[in-house]
């Protein structure tokens, strides 16, 4: 999928998921494996899922799933999908986690970015 460079910057619609996994010592790769398999399943089967990025901390203590959903109802629907739950619950073997849902408030860009202001509010996007 080829997306414009500013796709992630200016998509003000939807609900943003930030899921932080606090991994047990030496379990960062295992947590990433669980999330990769779970997110791939979601991407292939669940309506309303838009994209996800997985991050690993440089200190080995956390993993983040940063994802965009069409709306909160679509996101919540995953918790009634048994295949999703079976995959996601694999995180229990790697640590603890918490997630929160967000809406876009502001976007900050460097002053030299072509054709942009340095700050944009969600209302102005």
């Amino acid at each position: 999928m080829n997306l414009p460079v500013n796709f992630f910057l200016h998509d003000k619609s939807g609900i943003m998921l930030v899921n932080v996994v606090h991994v047990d010592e030496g379990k960062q790769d295992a947590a990433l494996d669980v999330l990769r398999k779970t997110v791939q399943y979601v991407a292939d089967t669940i309506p309303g899922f838009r994209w996800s990025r997985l991050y690993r901390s440089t200190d080995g203590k956390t993993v983040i799933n940063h994802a965009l959903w069409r709306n909160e109802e679509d996101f919540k629907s995953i918790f009634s999908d048994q295949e999703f739950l079976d995959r996601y619950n694999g995180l229990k073997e790697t640590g603890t986690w918490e997630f929160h849902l967000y809406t876009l408030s502001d976007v900050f860009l460097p002053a030299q970015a072509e054709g942009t202001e340095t700050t944009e509010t969600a209302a102005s996007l």
Side-chain angles (χ1 to χ4, degrees):
M1 173 185 339
N2 292 329
L3 299 173
V5 172
N6 65 357
F7 174 80
F8 295 108
L9 295 175
H10 296 296
D11 189 356
K12 66 180 178 179
S13 63
I15 295 293
M16 188 67 61
L17 164 71
V18 177
N19 186 3
V20 179
V21 183
H22 302 277
V23 298
D24 297 335
E25 189 171 339
K27 300 279 185 148
Q28 189 179 50
D29 287 336
L32 279 166
D33 287 342
V34 169
L35 286 172
R36 283 183 191 111
K37 292 173 185 171
T38 303
V39 171
Q40 188 61 60
Y41 170 77
V42 169
D44 292 343
T45 61
I46 308 295
F49 173 82
R50 292 196 176 158
W51 54 261
S52 176
R53 290 177 165 181
L54 300 180
Y55 300 88
R56 68 170 64 233
S57 66
T58 58
D59 63 8
K61 295 180 180 182
T62 59
V63 170
I64 293 176
N65 177 16
H66 174 221
L68 183 65
W69 286 83
R70 179 174 47 202
N71 56 49
E72 192 168 345
E73 296 77 34
D74 288 338
F75 169 74
K76 288 180 177 180
S77 75
I78 62 177
F79 295 102
S80 62
D81 183 295
Q82 191 59 50
E83 180 68 21
F84 164 80
L85 292 173
D86 291 345
R87 292 168 185 257
Y88 188 65
N89 283 332
L91 282 178
K92 291 177 182 176
E93 304 298 320
T94 67
T96 60
W97 66 92
E98 65 175 306
F99 68 83
H100 298 276
L101 301 176
Y102 300 87
T103 58
L104 180 63
S105 171
D106 300 278
V107 174
F108 294 86
L109 301 171
Q112 67 271 20
E114 186 177 327
T116 63
E117 297 291 323
T118 57
T119 306
E120 298 180 30
T121 64
S124 69
L125 295 177

